[in-house]
Amino acid sequence: MEILIYGTINSVALALYALGFAMVYGVSRLPNFAHGALYVLSGFITWTVLNTLGLNYFLSILVSFAATAIIGALIYQFVLIRIRGMEISEIIASYAIALAILEGMRWAGFKGMNYTLPVFIEGSTTIAGVTVDVHRLIVVAAGTALFGLLWVFTRYTRIGLALRGMAQDERAALMLGIDSDVMAVVAMGMGSLMAAMAAALLLPLGNIVVESGYNVLILAIAVCIVGGIGSWGGAVLAAFIIGFAQILTVVFIGPHFQQVVALFAIIITLILKPSGLFGQQKELEERV
Amino acid sequence: MLEASGMMVFYENMLALNNISMNCESDQIVGVFGANSAGKSTLMYALSGIILDIKKKELMAGGERITVAGDVLFDGKALTGVKPSKRAKMGIVLCPERRRIFKESTVLENLKIGGYLASPAKARDTLEFVFSVFPVLDKLKKRIGGFLSGGEQQMLAIGRALMAQPKILLLDEPLLGLSPLMQAMLIRSTRDIRDQKKISIIITEQYARPVLPIVDYAYVLENGSAVLEGTRNDLMDNPDVRAAYFGI
């Protein structure tokens, strides 16, 4: 039972990490290596607004959402748009941005263990004999709601449908008047917003440390590779596979092997099915 | 309505379009005929502005150098350098070669994506119109695009282009790979669309015979040059054309 509950919580957390990454890649084929950096950045924005400006916690989170989304969109509009379509350059440039953000924050003094955000609701409850923090349950509920909202957004709204069209065939979308540059900026802004949402939900569970930017990136990439890069459904399924694998590892092998699981999953996927569970990267499969 | 003059397109040093001038009046159906690599698709890309996007992508990836010259006038406005998305908004919508429908989305979603530029009310009206022209699509609404047959995909591609509220619809080889029965049906629908929607249509095809009955005016391309042009009857009566393009 413990495994089931904590496995679910862990899986939802992984899916939250990966969602923004998967979305940006799915729409504009941009592997956004700055995803983890945006995640941590949004945490520090919330912390700063909360503690130095003294705004209410909820408002601080909203400020960090807006700020992160705008920063993401600006990164795209002013840097990444110039190297659109060249994946290696996109990886290098976005990773450089990630380094600049993360190491910049470290340089600015955000280091150590003293940066924490309060949980939404204190306390814990017992489900089927297992003690769980209320906040972790909020994470699962809010995460599920977010996936649901995203599903509705991509199926029933004009912008969401346009994003999906562009994800499938950019030039065909262009012929219908969907401006790919504008849409890519929108996608990057939304991907950053999702990083910020993940941060708001998950950072209160631990410390805000610069290093988690790298961890989040690795986990997001692991989930996307296992799920099949560019496939959102695959990403959620992969999050559950890796999430449960991690918890099982913690329970039966040892907590310090938890991080290895994600990397191991990448290796196994690349050996067995390089395109991932639901990947559309057929050319990769043929090449390998 | 749409007027092109002196259109030249080079891929590196290869001349793909050589000094093409063409004209399409309101409510006209204009045919563009020619063999493979005659420049039909390039002409469509040049008119719809997609060539600018191809050029940009090639430039960024360090690929082929594409040069575009010549003027396109739409309702008297010059289109030189106008982005393809802007041109679509102005009413020039391309329904591309090989259909390029969104294969992972359902038929209805494809049409809705096509309605990106339309207001909700317009989109609803057009959706009804598309279903009235192609009743099959109404039945296949929930089907995933990639599972449709070639003819159904072509209907979907035309319907999707109509959703974008075109004033002039560019159909690039809509009959490619379809059965004669389906070809005849599509040609009839094309004429119905023109008659009911009052839009202009430019249609390209390799083989002129199925299309010729509905065109008002036509151009014949060969190696990027317009070698012949004329009204339907002019071309019908021309023995060279009959031999070379109609197989009569």
Side-chain angles (χ1 to χ4, degrees):
Chain A
M1 203 59 210
E2 218 165 24
I3 292 172
L4 193 65
I5 289 173
Y6 277 93
T8 308
I9 293 168
N10 194 32
S11 306
V12 172
L14 283 175
L16 281 170
Y17 288 147
L19 206 58
F21 186 88
M23 154 144 200
V24 175
Y25 189 84
V27 170
S28 45
R29 298 277 165 255
L30 165 77
N32 177 20
F33 274 56
H35 188 71
L38 289 165
Y39 170 88
V40 178
L41 179 65
S42 114
F44 279 121
I45 292 174
T46 313
W47 189 89
T48 310
V49 174
L50 182 65
N51 290 303
T52 54
L53 302 181
L55 238 63
N56 145 322
Y57 187 28
F58 180 66
L59 282 176
S60 327
I61 288 175
L62 288 186
V63 169
S64 85
F65 283 2
T68 313
I70 291 169
I71 290 169
L74 289 179
I75 288 174
Y76 195 87
Q77 180 67 46
F78 289 106
V79 183
L80 298 175
I81 209 164
R82 295 157 196 270
I83 47 173
R84 194 90 205 276
M86 292 178 282
E87 302 217 334
I88 298 296
S89 311
E90 285 173 341
I91 290 174
I92 295 171
S94 59
Y95 193 62
I97 292 167
L99 283 177
I101 293 175
L102 289 174
E103 300 307 319
M105 284 192 291
R106 203 199 297 273
W107 177 77
F110 286 112
K111 56 189 171 196
M113 291 297 171
N114 6 352
Y115 297 96
T116 51
L117 290 173
V119 294
F120 295 167
I121 297 171
E122 291 279 354
S124 58
T125 175
T126 315
I127 302 173
V130 185
T131 315
V132 192
D133 300 338
V134 176
H135 187 89
R136 284 176 210 270
L137 295 178
I138 295 178
V139 168
V140 174
T144 316
L146 186 60
F147 303 143
L149 277 178
L150 195 67
W151 192 86
V152 170
F153 172 76
T154 54
R155 266 164 188 76
Y156 296 104
T157 63
R158 178 169 159 268
I159 302 280
L161 281 166
L163 286 173
R164 275 181 68 213
M166 192 183 139
Q168 291 176 52
D169 188 337
E170 195 182 312
R171 195 157 285 149
L174 192 59
M175 290 165 193
L176 299 166
I178 299 168
D179 190 322
S180 41
D181 288 342
V182 174
M183 280 299 147
V185 172
V186 170
M188 179 77 179
M190 285 192 55
S192 311
L193 179 64
M194 280 175 218
M197 286 176 170
L201 286 170
L202 297 169
L203 280 176
L205 295 172
N207 294 311
I208 317 177
V209 285
V210 166
E211 287 73 24
S212 66
Y214 301 107
N215 287 336
V216 167
L217 178 63
I218 289 171
L219 290 171
I221 291 174
V223 167
C224 288
I225 287 179
V226 173
I229 225 156
S231 157
W232 306 355
V236 172
L237 182 64
F240 272 82
I241 291 173
I242 297 178
F244 273 93
Q246 279 188 338
I247 294 297
L248 289 172
T249 312
V250 170
V251 173
F252 291 111
I253 302 176
H256 45 285
F257 284 106
Q258 187 180 6
Q259 191 68 30
V260 181
V261 174
L263 302 174
F264 201 58
I266 297 183
I267 295 171
I268 292 182
T269 312
L270 288 181
I271 292 172
L272 294 180
K273 194 168 184 303
S275 60
L277 292 173
F278 291 100
Q280 279 103 39
Q281 306 293 88
K282 303 235 168 43
E283 43 170 350
L284 181 68
E285 207 165 10
E286 279 158 20
R287 218 184 296 146
V288 172
Chain B
M1 183 167 204
L2 188 74
E3 207 182 326
S5 54
M7 293 294 302
M8 307 268 272
V9 174
F10 291 87
Y11 295 116
E12 291 288 346
N13 295 327
M14 208 251 320
L15 184 58
L17 277 190
N18 184 7
N19 200 18
I20 301 273
S21 297
M22 68 177 296
N23 191 10
C24 179
E25 298 295 336
S26 304
D27 304 347
Q28 252 190 350
I29 298 183
V30 170
V32 177
F33 304 118
N36 259 337
S37 81
K40 300 185 301 292
S41 292
T42 305
L43 178 62
M44 289 291 151
Y45 287 151
L47 292 177
S48 61
I50 296 294
I51 194 85
L52 299 176
D53 184 60
I54 300 175
K55 180 180 169 174
K56 197 174 80 182
K57 296 274 152 68
E58 289 287 330
L59 193 71
M60 279 205 276
E64 269 184 327
R65 191 162 37 91
I66 298 174
T67 317
V68 185
D71 298 314
V72 185
L73 286 179
F74 180 62
D75 279 341
K77 287 186 284 282
L79 290 181
T80 315
V82 174
K83 282 207 286 187
S85 52
K86 196 81 181 293
R87 292 192 202 195
K89 205 168 194 170
M90 293 167 78
I92 307 176
V93 178
L94 172 64
C95 173
E97 190 184 358
R98 301 197 176 280
R99 335 189 222 280
R100 299 184 79 150
I101 60 159
F102 301 123
K103 291 207 167 99
E104 292 150 38
S105 296
T106 63
V107 168
L108 190 61
E109 279 170 351
N110 264 280
L111 293 171
K112 278 186 178 167
I113 296 172
Y116 174 74
L117 289 174
S119 67
K122 271 245 172 75
R124 253 195 315 277
D125 287 354
T126 316
L127 195 66
E128 248 168 60
F129 175 74
V130 170
F131 286 154
S132 75
V133 180
F134 302 119
V136 191
L137 293 182
D138 198 6
K139 280 186 216 123
L140 298 173
K141 242 186 329 206
K142 296 261 180 314
R143 184 82 57 93
I144 300 290
F147 293 150
L148 297 179
S149 73
E152 289 158 357
Q153 289 194 11
Q154 185 61 55
M155 290 186 238
L156 178 56
I158 295 175
R160 190 184 63 178
L162 284 175
M163 291 294 287
Q165 313 298 322
K167 291 198 185 97
I168 179 163
L169 180 63
L170 312 179
L171 294 176
D172 198 358
E173 299 207 28
L175 306 184
L176 192 74
L178 302 181
S179 71
L181 214 64
M182 186 56 84
Q183 293 191 349
M185 183 260 158
L186 277 171
I187 287 301
R188 252 180 284 123
S189 315
T190 308
R191 194 184 43 206
D192 291 348
I193 289 167
R194 189 269 311 264
D195 292 346
Q196 292 176 33
K197 275 265 156 187
K198 297 286 168 221
I199 56 177
S200 314
I201 296 176
I202 299 182
I203 180 167
T204 77
E205 202 50 53
Q206 293 200 22
Y207 196 54
R209 192 142 123 191
V211 186
L212 205 66
I214 61 160
V215 300
D216 300 301
Y217 201 84
Y219 298 82
V220 176
L221 298 188
E222 219 168 75
N223 289 327
S225 308
V227 289
L228 262 173
E229 59 171 274
T231 61
R232 174 176 54 213
N233 295 334
D234 290 350
L235 290 176
M236 285 279 213
D237 296 340
N238 187 320
D240 291 345
V241 177
R242 290 167 70 104
Y245 295 99
F246 306 150
I248 307 171

